[in-house]
Short mmCIF file of all heavy atoms in Angstrom, two decimals:
data_model
loop_
_atom_site.label_atom_id
_atom_site.label_comp_id
_atom_site.label_asym_id
_atom_site.label_seq_id
_atom_site.Cartn_x
_atom_site.Cartn_y
_atom_site.Cartn_z
N MET Y 18 89.71 -157.45 54.38
CA MET Y 18 90.51 -158.02 53.33
C MET Y 18 90.08 -157.48 51.97
O MET Y 18 90.91 -157.20 51.12
CB MET Y 18 90.39 -159.54 53.39
CG MET Y 18 91.24 -160.23 52.39
SD MET Y 18 92.96 -160.08 52.83
CE MET Y 18 93.65 -161.48 52.04
N ARG Y 19 88.79 -157.34 51.76
CA ARG Y 19 88.31 -156.83 50.47
C ARG Y 19 88.77 -155.40 50.23
O ARG Y 19 89.06 -155.02 49.11
CB ARG Y 19 86.79 -156.91 50.40
CG ARG Y 19 86.28 -158.30 50.28
CD ARG Y 19 84.76 -158.29 50.25
NE ARG Y 19 84.27 -159.65 50.25
CZ ARG Y 19 83.63 -160.17 49.23
NH1 ARG Y 19 83.37 -159.45 48.18
NH2 ARG Y 19 83.22 -161.41 49.28
N GLU Y 20 88.82 -154.61 51.31
CA GLU Y 20 89.26 -153.23 51.17
C GLU Y 20 90.74 -153.17 50.77
O GLU Y 20 91.13 -152.32 49.96
CB GLU Y 20 89.04 -152.48 52.49
CG GLU Y 20 89.09 -150.99 52.35
CD GLU Y 20 87.95 -150.45 51.51
OE1 GLU Y 20 86.84 -151.00 51.53
OE2 GLU Y 20 88.21 -149.46 50.79
N ASP Y 21 91.53 -154.08 51.30
CA ASP Y 21 92.95 -154.13 50.92
C ASP Y 21 93.11 -154.50 49.46
O ASP Y 21 93.94 -153.92 48.75
CB ASP Y 21 93.69 -155.15 51.79
CG ASP Y 21 93.71 -154.76 53.25
OD1 ASP Y 21 93.60 -153.55 53.53
OD2 ASP Y 21 93.82 -155.65 54.10
N ILE Y 22 92.33 -155.47 49.01
CA ILE Y 22 92.40 -155.88 47.61
C ILE Y 22 91.97 -154.74 46.70
O ILE Y 22 92.58 -154.48 45.66
CB ILE Y 22 91.54 -157.14 47.37
CG1 ILE Y 22 92.15 -158.33 48.11
CG2 ILE Y 22 91.40 -157.43 45.89
CD1 ILE Y 22 91.27 -159.57 48.11
N ARG Y 23 90.94 -154.01 47.09
CA ARG Y 23 90.48 -152.87 46.30
C ARG Y 23 91.55 -151.79 46.23
O ARG Y 23 91.77 -151.19 45.17
CB ARG Y 23 89.20 -152.30 46.91
CG ARG Y 23 88.65 -151.15 46.11
CD ARG Y 23 87.38 -150.62 46.70
NE ARG Y 23 86.37 -151.67 46.61
CZ ARG Y 23 85.27 -151.71 47.34
NH1 ARG Y 23 85.04 -150.76 48.22
NH2 ARG Y 23 84.40 -152.68 47.20
N THR Y 24 92.25 -151.55 47.33
CA THR Y 24 93.31 -150.55 47.36
C THR Y 24 94.46 -150.94 46.44
O THR Y 24 94.98 -150.11 45.69
CB THR Y 24 93.82 -150.35 48.79
OG1 THR Y 24 92.72 -150.01 49.64
CG2 THR Y 24 94.87 -149.28 48.86
N VAL Y 25 94.86 -152.20 46.49
CA VAL Y 25 95.95 -152.66 45.63
C VAL Y 25 95.52 -152.62 44.17
O VAL Y 25 96.31 -152.29 43.28
CB VAL Y 25 96.42 -154.07 46.05
CG1 VAL Y 25 97.42 -154.62 45.06
CG2 VAL Y 25 97.01 -154.05 47.43
N ARG Y 26 94.27 -152.94 43.89
CA ARG Y 26 93.77 -152.89 42.52
C ARG Y 26 93.80 -151.45 41.99
O ARG Y 26 94.15 -151.21 40.83
CB ARG Y 26 92.35 -153.44 42.45
CG ARG Y 26 91.84 -153.52 41.03
CD ARG Y 26 90.50 -154.15 40.98
NE ARG Y 26 90.65 -155.57 41.23
CZ ARG Y 26 89.66 -156.40 41.43
NH1 ARG Y 26 88.43 -155.94 41.44
NH2 ARG Y 26 89.87 -157.67 41.64
N LEU Y 27 93.43 -150.49 42.84
CA LEU Y 27 93.50 -149.08 42.44
C LEU Y 27 94.94 -148.67 42.17
O LEU Y 27 95.23 -147.99 41.18
CB LEU Y 27 92.89 -148.20 43.53
CG LEU Y 27 92.97 -146.70 43.31
CD1 LEU Y 27 92.13 -146.30 42.10
CD2 LEU Y 27 92.52 -145.95 44.53
N PHE Y 28 95.85 -149.09 43.04
CA PHE Y 28 97.27 -148.78 42.83
C PHE Y 28 97.78 -149.41 41.53
O PHE Y 28 98.55 -148.79 40.79
CB PHE Y 28 98.11 -149.27 44.01
CG PHE Y 28 99.56 -149.01 43.87
CD1 PHE Y 28 100.06 -147.72 43.97
CD2 PHE Y 28 100.45 -150.03 43.62
CE1 PHE Y 28 101.40 -147.46 43.82
CE2 PHE Y 28 101.79 -149.80 43.48
CZ PHE Y 28 102.28 -148.51 43.57
N ALA Y 29 97.34 -150.62 41.23
CA ALA Y 29 97.75 -151.29 39.99
C ALA Y 29 97.25 -150.51 38.77
O ALA Y 29 97.98 -150.34 37.79
CB ALA Y 29 97.24 -152.72 39.95
N ALA Y 30 96.01 -150.03 38.83
CA ALA Y 30 95.46 -149.26 37.72
C ALA Y 30 96.23 -147.95 37.53
O ALA Y 30 96.53 -147.56 36.39
CB ALA Y 30 93.99 -148.97 37.96
N LEU Y 31 96.57 -147.30 38.62
CA LEU Y 31 97.37 -146.07 38.53
C LEU Y 31 98.76 -146.35 37.98
O LEU Y 31 99.29 -145.58 37.18
CB LEU Y 31 97.47 -145.39 39.89
CG LEU Y 31 96.19 -144.76 40.42
CD1 LEU Y 31 96.40 -144.27 41.85
CD2 LEU Y 31 95.76 -143.62 39.53
N LEU Y 32 99.34 -147.46 38.38
CA LEU Y 32 100.67 -147.83 37.90
C LEU Y 32 100.66 -148.11 36.40
O LEU Y 32 101.55 -147.68 35.67
CB LEU Y 32 101.17 -149.04 38.67
CG LEU Y 32 102.65 -149.40 38.57
CD1 LEU Y 32 103.49 -148.24 39.06
CD2 LEU Y 32 102.94 -150.63 39.40
N VAL Y 33 99.63 -148.79 35.93
CA VAL Y 33 99.52 -149.06 34.49
C VAL Y 33 99.34 -147.74 33.73
O VAL Y 33 99.98 -147.52 32.69
CB VAL Y 33 98.35 -150.03 34.21
CG1 VAL Y 33 98.06 -150.09 32.72
CG2 VAL Y 33 98.68 -151.41 34.73
N ALA Y 34 98.47 -146.88 34.24
CA ALA Y 34 98.23 -145.59 33.57
C ALA Y 34 99.51 -144.75 33.53
O ALA Y 34 99.85 -144.18 32.47
CB ALA Y 34 97.12 -144.83 34.27
N MET Y 35 100.23 -144.68 34.63
CA MET Y 35 101.48 -143.91 34.64
C MET Y 35 102.51 -144.54 33.71
O MET Y 35 103.28 -143.82 33.06
CB MET Y 35 102.03 -143.82 36.07
CG MET Y 35 101.22 -142.93 36.97
SD MET Y 35 101.97 -142.64 38.59
CE MET Y 35 102.25 -144.27 39.21
N GLY Y 36 102.54 -145.85 33.63
CA GLY Y 36 103.46 -146.52 32.72
C GLY Y 36 103.15 -146.21 31.27
O GLY Y 36 104.06 -145.95 30.47
N VAL Y 37 101.87 -146.22 30.93
CA VAL Y 37 101.48 -145.91 29.55
C VAL Y 37 101.82 -144.46 29.23
O VAL Y 37 102.38 -144.16 28.16
CB VAL Y 37 99.98 -146.19 29.34
CG1 VAL Y 37 99.50 -145.62 28.02
CG2 VAL Y 37 99.73 -147.69 29.40
N PHE Y 38 101.50 -143.55 30.13
CA PHE Y 38 101.80 -142.14 29.88
C PHE Y 38 103.31 -141.90 29.81
O PHE Y 38 103.77 -141.10 29.00
CB PHE Y 38 101.17 -141.25 30.95
CG PHE Y 38 99.68 -141.17 30.85
CD1 PHE Y 38 98.90 -141.18 32.00
CD2 PHE Y 38 99.05 -141.09 29.63
CE1 PHE Y 38 97.52 -141.11 31.92
CE2 PHE Y 38 97.67 -141.02 29.53
CZ PHE Y 38 96.90 -141.03 30.68
N GLY Y 39 104.06 -142.58 30.65
CA GLY Y 39 105.52 -142.45 30.61
C GLY Y 39 106.09 -142.96 29.31
O GLY Y 39 107.01 -142.36 28.74
N THR Y 40 105.55 -144.06 28.83
CA THR Y 40 106.02 -144.61 27.56
C THR Y 40 105.69 -143.68 26.40
O THR Y 40 106.53 -143.44 25.52
CB THR Y 40 105.38 -145.99 27.32
OG1 THR Y 40 105.71 -146.84 28.41
CG2 THR Y 40 105.89 -146.61 26.04
N VAL Y 41 104.49 -143.14 26.40
CA VAL Y 41 104.11 -142.20 25.34
C VAL Y 41 104.96 -140.93 25.41
O VAL Y 41 105.44 -140.45 24.37
CB VAL Y 41 102.60 -141.87 25.44
CG1 VAL Y 41 102.23 -140.72 24.52
CG2 VAL Y 41 101.77 -143.10 25.13
N ALA Y 42 105.17 -140.42 26.61
CA ALA Y 42 105.99 -139.21 26.74
C ALA Y 42 107.42 -139.48 26.30
O ALA Y 42 108.04 -138.63 25.65
CB ALA Y 42 105.96 -138.73 28.19
N GLY Y 43 107.95 -140.64 26.63
CA GLY Y 43 109.30 -140.98 26.19
C GLY Y 43 109.38 -141.15 24.69
O GLY Y 43 110.39 -140.81 24.07
N SER Y 44 108.33 -141.68 24.10
CA SER Y 44 108.31 -141.83 22.65
C SER Y 44 108.25 -140.48 21.96
O SER Y 44 108.91 -140.27 20.93
CB SER Y 44 107.10 -142.66 22.22
OG SER Y 44 107.19 -143.96 22.74
N ILE Y 45 107.47 -139.57 22.51
CA ILE Y 45 107.38 -138.23 21.92
C ILE Y 45 108.72 -137.50 22.05
O ILE Y 45 109.16 -136.84 21.11
CB ILE Y 45 106.24 -137.43 22.59
CG1 ILE Y 45 104.90 -138.03 22.19
CG2 ILE Y 45 106.31 -135.95 22.21
CD1 ILE Y 45 103.72 -137.46 22.95
N ALA Y 46 109.36 -137.65 23.20
CA ALA Y 46 110.64 -136.97 23.44
C ALA Y 46 111.81 -137.74 22.84
O ALA Y 46 112.94 -137.24 22.85
CB ALA Y 46 110.85 -136.78 24.93
N THR Y 47 111.56 -138.92 22.34
CA THR Y 47 112.57 -139.82 21.76
C THR Y 47 113.73 -140.10 22.71
O THR Y 47 114.90 -140.05 22.34
CB THR Y 47 113.11 -139.29 20.42
OG1 THR Y 47 113.79 -138.05 20.63
CG2 THR Y 47 112.00 -139.13 19.39
N HIS Y 48 113.38 -140.38 23.97
CA HIS Y 48 114.37 -140.79 24.96
C HIS Y 48 114.08 -142.23 25.36
O HIS Y 48 112.92 -142.61 25.59
CB HIS Y 48 114.33 -139.90 26.20
CG HIS Y 48 114.73 -138.49 25.93
ND1 HIS Y 48 116.00 -138.14 25.56
CD2 HIS Y 48 114.03 -137.35 25.97
CE1 HIS Y 48 116.07 -136.84 25.38
NE2 HIS Y 48 114.87 -136.32 25.62
N SER Y 49 115.10 -143.02 25.49
CA SER Y 49 114.89 -144.45 25.76
C SER Y 49 114.63 -144.74 27.23
O SER Y 49 113.95 -145.71 27.55
CB SER Y 49 116.10 -145.25 25.27
OG SER Y 49 117.27 -144.84 25.94
N VAL Y 50 115.16 -143.93 28.13
CA VAL Y 50 114.99 -144.21 29.57
C VAL Y 50 113.52 -144.09 29.99
O VAL Y 50 113.00 -145.01 30.65
CB VAL Y 50 115.90 -143.31 30.42
CG1 VAL Y 50 115.63 -143.51 31.89
CG2 VAL Y 50 117.36 -143.60 30.11
N PRO Y 51 112.79 -143.02 29.65
CA PRO Y 51 111.38 -142.98 30.03
C PRO Y 51 110.55 -144.08 29.38
O PRO Y 51 109.60 -144.58 29.98
CB PRO Y 51 110.90 -141.60 29.57
CG PRO Y 51 112.10 -140.79 29.40
CD PRO Y 51 113.21 -141.74 29.07
N ILE Y 52 110.92 -144.47 28.18
CA ILE Y 52 110.21 -145.56 27.52
C ILE Y 52 110.40 -146.85 28.30
O ILE Y 52 109.43 -147.56 28.59
CB ILE Y 52 110.70 -145.73 26.06
CG1 ILE Y 52 110.32 -144.51 25.23
CG2 ILE Y 52 110.11 -146.99 25.45
CD1 ILE Y 52 110.96 -144.50 23.85
N ALA Y 53 111.64 -147.16 28.67
CA ALA Y 53 111.92 -148.38 29.42
C ALA Y 53 111.25 -148.37 30.79
O ALA Y 53 110.65 -149.37 31.21
CB ALA Y 53 113.42 -148.56 29.57
N LEU Y 54 111.33 -147.24 31.48
CA LEU Y 54 110.70 -147.16 32.81
C LEU Y 54 109.18 -147.24 32.70
O LEU Y 54 108.52 -147.82 33.58
CB LEU Y 54 111.13 -145.87 33.51
CG LEU Y 54 112.60 -145.80 33.92
CD1 LEU Y 54 112.91 -144.44 34.53
CD2 LEU Y 54 112.96 -146.91 34.87
N GLY Y 55 108.62 -146.66 31.66
CA GLY Y 55 107.18 -146.74 31.46
C GLY Y 55 106.72 -148.16 31.20
O GLY Y 55 105.71 -148.61 31.72
N VAL Y 56 107.48 -148.89 30.40
CA VAL Y 56 107.13 -150.29 30.12
C VAL Y 56 107.24 -151.12 31.39
O VAL Y 56 106.37 -151.95 31.68
CB VAL Y 56 108.04 -150.85 29.01
CG1 VAL Y 56 107.91 -152.35 28.90
CG2 VAL Y 56 107.71 -150.18 27.69
N ILE Y 57 108.29 -150.89 32.18
CA ILE Y 57 108.45 -151.63 33.44
C ILE Y 57 107.30 -151.32 34.39
O ILE Y 57 106.75 -152.22 35.04
CB ILE Y 57 109.81 -151.30 34.08
CG1 ILE Y 57 110.93 -151.89 33.23
CG2 ILE Y 57 109.88 -151.81 35.51
CD1 ILE Y 57 112.31 -151.41 33.62
N ALA Y 58 106.90 -150.05 34.49
CA ALA Y 58 105.79 -149.67 35.37
C ALA Y 58 104.48 -150.30 34.90
O ALA Y 58 103.69 -150.80 35.72
CB ALA Y 58 105.66 -148.15 35.42
N ALA Y 59 104.25 -150.29 33.60
CA ALA Y 59 103.01 -150.88 33.08
C ALA Y 59 102.97 -152.38 33.33
O ALA Y 59 101.94 -152.92 33.73
CB ALA Y 59 102.88 -150.59 31.59
N LEU Y 60 104.08 -153.06 33.11
CA LEU Y 60 104.12 -154.51 33.37
C LEU Y 60 103.96 -154.82 34.86
O LEU Y 60 103.31 -155.80 35.22
CB LEU Y 60 105.42 -155.10 32.84
CG LEU Y 60 105.55 -155.14 31.32
CD1 LEU Y 60 106.92 -155.67 30.92
CD2 LEU Y 60 104.45 -155.98 30.70
N GLY Y 61 104.54 -153.98 35.70
CA GLY Y 61 104.36 -154.16 37.15
C GLY Y 61 102.91 -153.98 37.56
O GLY Y 61 102.39 -154.71 38.41
N GLY Y 62 102.23 -153.01 36.96
CA GLY Y 62 100.81 -152.80 37.24
C GLY Y 62 99.97 -153.97 36.79
O GLY Y 62 99.03 -154.38 37.47
N VAL Y 63 100.28 -154.52 35.63
CA VAL Y 63 99.54 -155.68 35.13
C VAL Y 63 99.76 -156.88 36.05
O VAL Y 63 98.82 -157.61 36.37
CB VAL Y 63 99.95 -156.00 33.68
CG1 VAL Y 63 99.42 -157.35 33.23
CG2 VAL Y 63 99.48 -154.91 32.75
N LEU Y 64 100.99 -157.07 36.51
CA LEU Y 64 101.28 -158.17 37.43
C LEU Y 64 100.52 -158.01 38.74
O LEU Y 64 99.95 -158.97 39.26
CB LEU Y 64 102.78 -158.24 37.68
CG LEU Y 64 103.28 -159.41 38.49
CD1 LEU Y 64 103.02 -160.71 37.74
CD2 LEU Y 64 104.76 -159.26 38.79
N LEU Y 65 100.47 -156.78 39.26
CA LEU Y 65 99.69 -156.53 40.48
C LEU Y 65 98.20 -156.79 40.25
O LEU Y 65 97.51 -157.31 41.13
CB LEU Y 65 99.89 -155.10 40.95
CG LEU Y 65 101.05 -154.84 41.88
CD1 LEU Y 65 101.13 -153.35 42.20
CD2 LEU Y 65 100.94 -155.64 43.14
N ALA Y 66 97.70 -156.42 39.09
CA ALA Y 66 96.29 -156.66 38.78
C ALA Y 66 95.98 -158.15 38.75
O ALA Y 66 94.94 -158.60 39.24
CB ALA Y 66 95.93 -156.01 37.45
N VAL Y 67 96.89 -158.93 38.19
CA VAL Y 67 96.71 -160.39 38.16
C VAL Y 67 96.71 -160.94 39.58
O VAL Y 67 95.87 -161.78 39.94
CB VAL Y 67 97.80 -161.06 37.30
CG1 VAL Y 67 97.80 -162.56 37.48
CG2 VAL Y 67 97.61 -160.70 35.84
N PHE Y 68 97.64 -160.47 40.41
CA PHE Y 68 97.68 -160.93 41.80
C PHE Y 68 96.40 -160.58 42.56
O PHE Y 68 95.91 -161.37 43.37
CB PHE Y 68 98.88 -160.34 42.53
CG PHE Y 68 100.20 -160.96 42.15
CD1 PHE Y 68 101.37 -160.27 42.39
CD2 PHE Y 68 100.27 -162.20 41.56
CE1 PHE Y 68 102.59 -160.82 42.05
CE2 PHE Y 68 101.48 -162.76 41.20
CZ PHE Y 68 102.65 -162.08 41.45
N THR Y 69 95.84 -159.39 42.29
CA THR Y 69 94.61 -159.02 42.99
C THR Y 69 93.43 -159.87 42.52
O THR Y 69 92.54 -160.18 43.31
CB THR Y 69 94.27 -157.53 42.81
OG1 THR Y 69 94.17 -157.24 41.43
CG2 THR Y 69 95.30 -156.66 43.47
N CYS Y 70 93.42 -160.24 41.26
CA CYS Y 70 92.35 -161.12 40.76
C CYS Y 70 92.43 -162.49 41.43
O CYS Y 70 91.41 -163.06 41.82
CB CYS Y 70 92.43 -161.26 39.25
SG CYS Y 70 91.94 -159.79 38.36
N VAL Y 71 93.64 -163.00 41.58
CA VAL Y 71 93.83 -164.29 42.25
C VAL Y 71 93.43 -164.18 43.72
O VAL Y 71 92.76 -165.07 44.27
CB VAL Y 71 95.28 -164.78 42.09
CG1 VAL Y 71 95.56 -165.99 42.96
CG2 VAL Y 71 95.58 -165.09 40.64
N ALA Y 72 93.84 -163.10 44.38
CA ALA Y 72 93.50 -162.91 45.79
C ALA Y 72 92.00 -162.78 45.98
O ALA Y 72 91.44 -163.32 46.94
CB ALA Y 72 94.21 -161.68 46.33
N ARG Y 73 91.34 -162.09 45.08
CA ARG Y 73 89.90 -161.93 45.20
C ARG Y 73 89.18 -163.27 45.00
O ARG Y 73 88.21 -163.56 45.70
CB ARG Y 73 89.40 -160.91 44.16
CG ARG Y 73 87.94 -160.63 44.29
CD ARG Y 73 87.54 -159.49 43.39
NE ARG Y 73 86.13 -159.27 43.51
CZ ARG Y 73 85.31 -159.16 42.48
NH1 ARG Y 73 85.77 -159.21 41.26
NH2 ARG Y 73 84.03 -158.97 42.67
N ALA Y 74 89.68 -164.06 44.08
CA ALA Y 74 89.06 -165.37 43.85
C ALA Y 74 89.26 -166.27 45.07
O ALA Y 74 88.37 -167.08 45.38
CB ALA Y 74 89.68 -166.01 42.61
N LYS Y 75 90.38 -166.15 45.74
CA LYS Y 75 90.63 -167.01 46.90
C LYS Y 75 89.86 -166.56 48.15
O LYS Y 75 89.62 -167.36 49.04
CB LYS Y 75 92.11 -167.06 47.21
CG LYS Y 75 92.88 -167.83 46.17
CD LYS Y 75 94.25 -168.16 46.66
CE LYS Y 75 94.94 -168.99 45.59
NZ LYS Y 75 95.58 -170.14 46.10
N THR Y 76 89.48 -165.28 48.21
CA THR Y 76 88.78 -164.79 49.39
C THR Y 76 87.27 -164.81 49.24
O THR Y 76 86.55 -164.52 50.20
CB THR Y 76 89.20 -163.33 49.73
OG1 THR Y 76 88.92 -162.51 48.60
CG2 THR Y 76 90.66 -163.28 50.07
N ARG Y 77 86.76 -165.18 48.07
CA ARG Y 77 85.32 -165.26 47.89
C ARG Y 77 84.75 -166.44 48.67
O ARG Y 77 85.34 -167.51 48.71
CB ARG Y 77 84.97 -165.49 46.42
CG ARG Y 77 84.87 -164.25 45.64
CD ARG Y 77 84.28 -164.54 44.29
NE ARG Y 77 84.57 -163.40 43.44
CZ ARG Y 77 84.58 -163.43 42.14
NH1 ARG Y 77 84.37 -164.56 41.52
NH2 ARG Y 77 84.83 -162.35 41.46
N PRO Y 78 83.61 -166.23 49.28
CA PRO Y 78 82.97 -167.37 49.98
C PRO Y 78 82.45 -168.40 48.97
O PRO Y 78 81.98 -168.04 47.90
CB PRO Y 78 81.82 -166.74 50.75
CG PRO Y 78 81.58 -165.44 50.09
CD PRO Y 78 82.86 -165.02 49.41
N ARG Y 79 82.55 -169.64 49.34
CA ARG Y 79 82.10 -170.70 48.44
C ARG Y 79 80.76 -171.23 48.82
O ARG Y 79 80.26 -171.25 49.83
CB ARG Y 79 83.10 -171.84 48.44
CG ARG Y 79 84.40 -171.38 47.89
CD ARG Y 79 85.37 -172.50 47.87
NE ARG Y 79 86.67 -171.95 47.48
CZ ARG Y 79 87.70 -172.68 47.20
NH1 ARG Y 79 87.63 -173.98 47.27
NH2 ARG Y 79 88.82 -172.14 46.85
#
């Protein structure tokens, strides 16, 4: 279970990074579609990161 959480956390970090880079690239190119998709990707990554934090807290031994 911990390995699965670690994998999803890595995917969330990559998703946030790609979202930030997409937003910056869209801003440089002054196109609205890459900016919007980058923001959506970054928010999705943050949401996944929150879910992994909750999952990790629930799987810790007490």
Side-chain angles (χ1 to χ4, degrees):
M18 183 70 155
R19 289 179 185 246
E20 196 65 34
D21 296 335
I22 293 172
R23 182 179 295 160
T24 304
V25 173
R26 185 176 287 171
L27 176 65
F28 180 71
L31 289 173
L32 194 60
V33 169
M35 289 187 306
V37 169
F38 289 140
T40 303
V41 170
S44 296
I45 291 171
T47 64
H48 294 294
S49 60
V50 175
I52 294 171
L54 292 177
V56 168
I57 291 169
L60 291 176
V63 168
L64 186 64
L65 272 178
V67 169
F68 286 160
T69 57
C70 288
V71 170
R73 184 172 178 229
K75 289 194 178 228
T76 58
R77 274 191 196 158
R79 295 181 187 189

